[in-house]
C-alpha cells in the first residue's frame, strides 16, 4: 500500500508508520486489492490528510467505515464524489444543517469545501471491500486512526471533536476534554435520525470554534 501522506502528517505519524502492525495492514490491503475490488481507490485513501493539514485542522469529524458501493468513497467520511447521489446518512446531515443554520440543501454530497476549511473528515477504517460493509475492520486501521486522534489531541492548538453516535463517542477517552471541545450527537443514519435531527451540532461546533478564537466553518456547500 502506498502511504500518500503529505509531509506534515508523515512527520507527525512517522513512528506509527514503522510499527509491525502497520506493515501487516499494508500487506493485507495490497492482497485485498489484488483479489477483490477495494474502495476508495488507492490514490484517495489518505485524502482526509491531504486536504486538512495537521496544524490547520480545526474540527475532527469521525466516521466509521468507507462507503462500499461503486464510485462513492473518496477518502473523506460521509462525502461522495460529484455526480453520486448522497446516501441516506448524508441526506440527514443536510436536513439538520438546514434545520440548524438554514443552509440550502446542495445538489451534491461533495464535502471537500469543509475539509479545505479545516474540518478533518476521518473514517476510523480507511478501506473496505466492495459491497461488504466493515470487511476491513480490526485489521489495524483503527489503531492507526486512534493514533491520528492522539496526535491531534497532543497538538498545542486545541480543536473541536464532532462525534456522532456511540462508536465515535468511544474515542473521547483519547481526548483531553479540558483543552479541546467535544460536540456529540446521535448518528445521522436512518436508524437514529430522529435523535440526530434537532441536535444543532453545527452551530455548537461554530460556537466552540469562536470560543477557541478560531474562524467558524461555513457549512453551506455550493451546488456543482
Amino acid at each position: 500500500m502506498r502511504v500518500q501522506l503529505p509531509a506534515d502528517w508523515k512527520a507527525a505519524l512517522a513512528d506509527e508508520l514503522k510499527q509491525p502492525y502497520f506493515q501487516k495492514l499494508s500487506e493485507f490491503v495490497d492482497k485485498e486489492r489484488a483479489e477483490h475490488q477495494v474502495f476508495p481507490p488507492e490514490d484517495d485513501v489518505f485524502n482526509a490528510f491531504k486536504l486538512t493539514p495537521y496544524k490547520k485542522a480545526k474540527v475532527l469529524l469521525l466516521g466509521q467505515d468507507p462507503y462500499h458501493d461503486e464510485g462513492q468513497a473518496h477518502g473523506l467520511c460521509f462525502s461522495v464524489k460529484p455526480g453520486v447521489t448522497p446516501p441516506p446518512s448524508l441526506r440527514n446531515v443536510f436536513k439538520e444543517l438546514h434545520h440548524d443554520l438554514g443552509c440550502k440543501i446542495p445538489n451534491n454530497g461533495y464535502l471537500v469545501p469543509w475539509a479545505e476549511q479545516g474540518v478533518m473528515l476521518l473514517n476510523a477504517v480507511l478501506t473496505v471491500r466492495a459491497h461488504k460493509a466493515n470487511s476491513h475492520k480490526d485489521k489495524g486501521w483503527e489503531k492507526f486512526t486512534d493514533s491520528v486522534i492522539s496526535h491531534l489531541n497532543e497538538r498545542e492548538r486545541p480543536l473541536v471533536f464532532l462525534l456522532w453516535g456511540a462508536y465515535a463517542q468511544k474515542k473521547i477517552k483519547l481526548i483531553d476534554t479540558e483543552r479541546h471541545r467535544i460536540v456529540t450527537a446521535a448518528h445521522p443514519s436512518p436508524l437514529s435520525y430522529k435523535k440526530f435531527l434537532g441536535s444543532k451540532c453545527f452551530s455548537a461546533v461554530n460556537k466552540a470554534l469562536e470560543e477557541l478564537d478560531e474562524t467558524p466553518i461555513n457549512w453551506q456547500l455550493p451546488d456543482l
Side-chain angles (χ1 to χ4, degrees):
M1 177 172 68
R2 282 181 297 134
V3 181
Q4 300 176 344
L5 285 171
D8 58 342
W9 276 110
K10 197 175 264 186
L13 298 166
D15 289 346
E16 210 61 29
L17 300 174
K18 292 178 199 155
Q19 298 290 327
Y21 88 84
F22 195 84
Q23 187 58 41
K24 277 178 72 178
L25 168 65
S26 193
E27 288 164 8
F28 165 76
V29 174
D30 285 343
K31 187 168 186 289
E32 282 282 288
R33 285 201 190 276
E35 296 172 4
H36 306 277
Q37 189 176 18
V38 170
F39 297 133
E42 188 167 40
D43 287 347
D44 287 346
V45 170
F46 294 97
N47 275 349
F49 301 85
K50 296 174 192 173
L51 288 164
T52 310
Y54 176 60
K55 288 192 173 159
K56 292 195 175 165
K58 299 196 290 195
V59 179
L60 178 77
L61 173 57
L62 188 70
Q64 192 165 347
D65 196 48
Y67 295 127
H68 54 81
D69 284 335
E70 202 70 49
Q72 293 179 311
H74 67 112
L76 304 179
C77 71
F78 294 100
S79 181
V80 289
K81 292 177 183 176
V84 177
T85 303
S89 290
L90 185 53
R91 291 203 297 273
N92 290 338
V93 166
F94 292 153
K95 285 177 196 167
E96 177 55 21
L97 265 171
H98 179 69
H99 182 262
D100 183 6
L101 293 170
C103 292
K104 177 180 165 289
I105 293 175
N107 66 357
N108 67 92
Y110 192 55
L111 305 185
V112 165
W114 295 357
E116 290 174 338
Q117 292 178 74
V119 181
M120 188 166 191
L121 298 164
L122 183 70
N123 275 316
V125 175
L126 298 189
T127 55
V128 68
R129 191 189 294 181
H131 318 303
K132 294 194 77 168
N134 291 313
S135 47
H136 288 188
K137 78 190 264 278
D138 300 329
K139 301 295 182 185
W141 279 127
E142 295 91 341
K143 192 170 166 58
F144 175 72
T145 53
D146 277 0
S147 168
V148 172
I149 295 167
S150 296
H151 277 83
L152 288 169
N153 176 62
E154 287 159 15
R155 209 184 62 179
E156 198 174 323
R157 187 174 162 198
L159 64 155
V160 182
F161 291 86
L162 177 54
L163 305 174
W164 291 337
Y167 181 89
Q169 287 159 23
K170 284 182 187 149
K171 306 297 182 181
I172 290 174
K173 64 180 185 289
L174 302 172
I175 302 163
D176 177 352
T177 55
E178 298 289 310
R179 289 202 315 114
H180 302 285
R181 302 300 165 93
I182 311 267
V183 175
T184 61
H187 196 278
S189 84
L191 297 172
S192 49
Y193 167 58
K194 284 184 178 160
K195 292 182 188 165
F196 178 73
L197 185 64
S199 63
K200 296 195 177 292
C201 53
F202 300 101
S203 53
V205 166
N206 278 353
K207 181 171 182 285
L209 285 170
E210 286 176 335
E211 288 166 1
L212 295 171
D213 292 325
E214 296 282 5
T215 312
I217 303 300
N218 174 13
W219 295 103
Q220 178 66 66
L221 292 167
D223 281 341
L224 295 176

